[in-house]
Amino acid sequence: MTTTTTAFRIHTLPDEVLHSARTSGADAFGTPVEHVTADGDEPLRCCLRDARPGEEMILLGYEPPIPSSPYREIGAVLAHAEPCAGPGSLERYPPDWYGRPQVLRAYDHRGWIHAATTDHDGRNPEALIAALLADPGVAQIHSRNRNWGCWMFAITRAE
C-alpha cells in the first residue's frame, strides 16, 4: 500500500438509512429490503469489507447524495442485517478492497459527472484519489463496482 499526503474522507451508508431499513423492512423508496445470506466476498457498504460466508445481510436501494441533477440514481447495496462496528477508518481506503477494480466517478459541485472520472485496478487507489481531488472542479468521488456499477462509498476532501 502506498500512502498519500492528500487527506480525504470516506462516506459509508448513513446510520439513519441503515437503521430505517433494518427496522421498517423497507428502503427510503418503500421497496422491501431483501434478506440474504452471504456466500462470501460480497461488498458490505456499512463496514467497507467483504462479507464472510454465512453472514446475514440486507439488500436495499440507495440513492447516494449529490445535488439535484440528471445524474442522481438509485442502486442496490448490501449491508449487515444487524448493526455492526462500521469501518476501521474513514480517512483511508478500505483495506479489504485493495486489488478490487473500481470506477472512481467524479462529480462537480452541481452533481454532474466530471470528466476526471476513471477506473483503476485496485492498486494504489490513494494516488488516483489524490489526483482526482487535486482538480478543483471535483467536489466528490463515488467508488463504484466496475462490473455492476453499484455504489461502494463516497470520497470528499478532508475538512
Side-chain angles (χ1 to χ4, degrees), residues 86-145:
S89 173
L90 296 174
E91 285 79 36
R92 63 187 181 107
Y93 196 82
D96 276 9
W97 293 348
Y98 278 91
R100 181 188 294 261
Q102 294 288 291
V103 171
L104 293 179
R105 187 181 295 167
Y107 291 89
D108 67 17
H109 68 280
R110 302 171 300 165
W112 286 51
I113 294 176
H114 190 281
T117 293
T118 189
D119 62 33
H120 71 93
D121 61 8
R123 292 180 289 168
N124 198 12
E126 291 94 346
L128 191 50
I129 291 167
L132 292 172
L133 292 177
D135 184 326
V138 173
Q140 67 174 293
I141 303 164
H142 291 179
S143 180
R144 293 188 170 257
N145 181 289

Side-chain angles (χ1 to χ4, degrees), residues 138-159:
V138 173
Q140 67 174 293
I141 303 164
H142 291 179
S143 180
R144 293 188 170 257
N145 181 289
R146 183 187 280 174
N147 294 334
W148 300 93
C150 304
W151 180 88
M152 302 291 279
F153 55 90
I155 306 162
T156 57
R157 292 174 189 85
E159 299 287 323

Side-chain angles (χ1 to χ4, degrees), residues 34-97:
E34 296 290 332
H35 288 265
V36 293
T37 301
D39 291 329
D41 297 328
E42 295 92 338
L44 295 164
R45 283 28 168 249
C46 49
C47 54
L48 303 183
R49 70 166 175 80
D50 289 338
R52 296 179 190 99
E55 285 189 292
E56 295 301 318
M57 306 178 298
I58 55 173
L59 178 65
L60 64 140
Y62 178 64
E63 181 181 25
I66 62 171
S68 183
S69 82
Y71 294 98
R72 289 180 77 170
E73 59 187 296
I74 299 167
V77 295
L78 289 163
H80 279 112
E82 297 295 326
C84 67
S89 173
L90 296 174
E91 285 79 36
R92 63 187 181 107
Y93 196 82
D96 276 9
W97 293 348

